Amino acid sequence: MPFLGLLLMVAAGAAVWWWRLKMVKEAGSEIIDSVERMRGAYKRRQFRKAAEAAPLTSIQNPAIAAVVFCLVLANEKPMHRDMAKEVVRERMRDIIAVKDMDEVLIFADWTAKSVINLDDPVRRFRDLWLTNLDDAERRQLIDIGQQVAEVGGEPTPQQTDALQKLKRALLN
């Protein structure tokens, strides 16, 4: 009889330890799942940032970059976007061929809609503008941006900040 009791105690002990190890395994699986979800979220965020910046990085023409920047500024006042587009069309008339203007505006409008932060175009296009524009053209770009920001009233604080960053980037 003592042998049967000992056998029963060993079986009960093995069952308890089996259950405890099963719980540890489940807890470990949950931790690994959590880490994988966080890792996946991080990778998706990195991909989203890269995808958002992709249209901007494909632009190699300083005139198209200027149009994109102006339309990004115009997006801050959605009610006056059409008037701002006309200002851009008028001011860029001597820089971009008339036959190409509609295509440039459509592409720039599409690209500008993907920009979330007004500072992104300044950061991305700064080197392009510095290497391809002379001082007078840089000042002209700043003037066009200022004129676009003034469409529909005073510039918004975001527009003013973006224009200040553009001036610091191009004139310093």
Side-chain angles (χ1 to χ4, degrees), residues 29-136:
S29 293
E30 288 180 19
I31 290 171
I32 290 171
D33 288 346
S34 301
V35 169
E36 289 297 323
R37 276 194 303 274
M38 289 187 328
R39 185 171 162 231
Y42 174 76
K43 284 187 173 186
R44 283 190 302 277
R45 185 173 55 245
Q46 293 299 99
F47 179 76
R48 192 176 316 117
K49 284 182 183 178
E52 289 170 357
L56 291 179
T57 56
S58 68
I59 297 172
Q60 300 298 319
N61 183 329
I64 295 173
V67 173
V68 169
F69 173 72
C70 291
L71 293 182
V72 168
L73 280 177
N75 285 343
E76 284 299 304
K77 294 180 186 173
M79 298 294 291
H80 304 288
R81 281 189 47 186
D82 292 335
M83 289 189 298
K85 276 186 184 179
E86 289 307 314
V87 168
V88 171
R89 181 185 297 274
E90 182 63 30
R91 293 293 305 267
M92 298 298 282
R93 179 181 44 176
D94 297 333
I95 300 167
I96 298 174
V98 175
K99 63 183 173 82
D100 297 332
M101 184 62 77
D102 287 332
E103 184 178 335
V104 168
L105 281 173
I106 290 169
F107 173 75
D109 191 32
W110 172 76
T111 305
K113 287 179 183 176
S114 69
V115 174
I116 296 170
N117 187 351
L118 278 174
D119 300 337
D120 283 346
V122 175
R123 262 195 335 266
R124 298 219 182 262
F125 299 142
R126 182 179 68 90
D127 293 336
L128 177 68
W129 289 329
L130 287 174
T131 57
N132 292 306
L133 301 179
D134 62 20
D135 194 48

